[in-house]
Amino acid sequence: VGTFDTALDAEFTKRVPNQRPEMCPRSNAKIEGGLNGAYRLGMKVLCVGDGDMSFALAVAGQVFDKNASGEGSVVATSYEDQATLQKVYPNFEETLKSLRSYGGVKVGYKVDATNLHASFPDGLANTTFQRICWNFPCTAISRGQDGQNAAMEETRTCAAFPLEGAGSQFEFKGKIVFDRCNLPPYVPRKALDRKSFPCHDACDYVFGWSGGGSNSSIPEAGAGADDDDDDDMEPEKIVKVTTKMLERVRAIHLRNQVGAERKKHERTTRKGGQRKKRQRTK
């Protein structure tokens, strides 16, 4: 269905300003685990390429229940060593403490996602996972310079390397709109930089075992329904994105922005009138 790249929508980008992820009003909402169809209670999940470990912490909130119990497990890994992460991310130790409060979590450093066999933590080499997540993959690059257009091809090659190593066992299943607000307290960070970056048009590219249906083990709501019938949505399952849905979301953003511009104009007009009144008084 069309494109998720809002940069191609001239009217939208002109009227709606870009924002940091933490500025989204939904970031302050209290969202319980289990609302993201990609992860469920009791799953065994491997996270590679994490930075401040907030993504792994968000996944742990989906895998374990409120009492930090359950049959699941999370292995959180980073390409950097622990000392580097402590230096770059001010809240790293607090995040690490929260992550380790879940009994089924293990943390590994200096793990290369393109060479897991040689860099994986000791004792976990033969572990089986139901999900392997590389969130916003990038090459090992200078501080804050990841995701640049010039390095896009290199990043694609880097991200494809683990899949190529699996031979014909994996196949592309589809894309899922990445909703960061369903994964609190995750904040996307640039490589070796505490700064965040916008991810409103990001997607998860899903690969699974060859065969076994088009959606692998990811639950999809409304299977077989009409493409434009998105009124009956099940919050705990993946909902197919339709043209109607995208048009509705776009219209809401534009309407909200028009209202914000009108209020700003009214405040400016009132301030101008008050200044003129004071000047006449003097």
Side-chain angles (χ1 to χ4, degrees):
V1 180
T3 175
F4 300 108
D5 189 355
T6 56
L8 300 179
D9 189 334
E11 180 186 5
F12 189 88
T13 53
K14 182 179 179 180
R15 299 299 299 271
V16 183
N18 208 358
Q19 296 284 355
R20 295 287 180 187
E22 57 269 24
M23 298 300 293
C24 175
R26 293 179 63 227
S27 295
N28 298 320
K30 300 295 183 182
I31 300 178
E32 300 292 342
L35 293 180
N36 188 300
Y39 312 101
R40 297 191 297 278
L41 291 174
M43 276 188 166
K44 300 181 187 301
V45 182
L46 167 64
C47 300
V48 298
D50 209 336
D52 64 353
M53 296 295 180
S54 64
F55 180 76
L57 179 58
V59 171
Q62 305 280 325
V63 169
F64 301 99
D65 62 23
K66 295 178 181 179
N67 299 317
S69 62
E71 299 298 324
S73 65
V74 174
V75 176
T77 68
S78 175
Y79 182 78
E80 309 298 337
D81 58 41
Q82 185 173 358
T84 299
L85 298 179
Q86 290 171 329
K87 182 179 180 180
V88 173
Y89 306 111
N91 298 325
F92 177 74
E93 284 300 322
E94 182 179 342
T95 301
L96 197 61
K97 181 179 179 180
S98 298
L99 189 58
R100 285 176 169 161
S101 68
Y102 295 100
V105 173
K106 296 183 183 298
V107 179
Y109 303 98
K110 303 187 73 172
V111 175
D112 185 348
T114 67
N115 192 10
L116 290 175
H117 289 292
S119 59
F120 211 55
D122 293 338
L124 295 175
N126 296 318
T127 305
T128 300
F129 299 100
Q130 292 164 292
R131 295 284 187 270
I132 300 176
C133 318
W134 191 355
N135 204 42
F136 293 108
C138 68
T139 55
I141 204 164
S142 302
R143 175 182 171 186
Q145 297 302 308
D146 55 307
Q148 304 300 310
N149 289 336
M152 195 60 67
E153 194 59 39
E154 186 179 1
T155 298
R156 286 198 187 103
T157 302
C158 177
F161 191 88
L163 296 170
E164 292 173 353
S168 60
Q169 298 180 55
F170 287 112
E171 64 182 10
F172 178 62
K173 297 294 185 180
K175 294 187 292 184
I176 302 175
V177 176
F178 179 76
D179 188 350
R180 185 192 64 85
C181 293
N182 277 349
L183 288 168
Y186 170 61
V187 176
R189 305 283 187 190
K190 299 184 72 63
L192 294 178
D193 196 320
R194 69 187 66 178
K195 293 180 180 178
S196 62
F197 60 88
C199 59
H200 53 269
D201 55 354
C203 286
D204 283 326
Y205 286 75
V206 181
F207 296 83
W209 299 115
S210 298
S214 61
N215 293 290
S216 187
S217 59
I218 297 176
E220 181 178 350
D226 186 87
D227 283 352
D228 283 331
D229 184 16
D230 54 39
D231 294 321
D232 186 19
M233 297 183 184
E234 301 172 61
E236 293 188 5
K237 293 188 176 181
I238 303 300
V239 179
K240 187 174 182 179
V241 174
T242 65
T243 303
K244 178 181 175 183
M245 182 192 300
L246 291 176
E247 290 174 347
R248 184 185 301 173
V249 171
R250 181 180 185 275
I252 291 173
H253 277 291
L254 289 173
R255 184 169 63 248
N256 289 346
Q257 185 60 27
V258 168
E261 291 172 355
R262 183 183 298 113
K263 290 180 180 179
K264 182 178 179 180
H265 175 72
E266 292 173 351
R267 288 196 300 269
T268 303
T269 303
R270 284 197 298 269
K271 289 180 180 178
Q274 291 171 356
R275 281 197 295 269
K276 290 181 180 179
K277 184 176 181 180
R278 286 196 295 268
Q279 290 173 354
R280 288 197 297 269
T281 302
K282 291 179 180 179

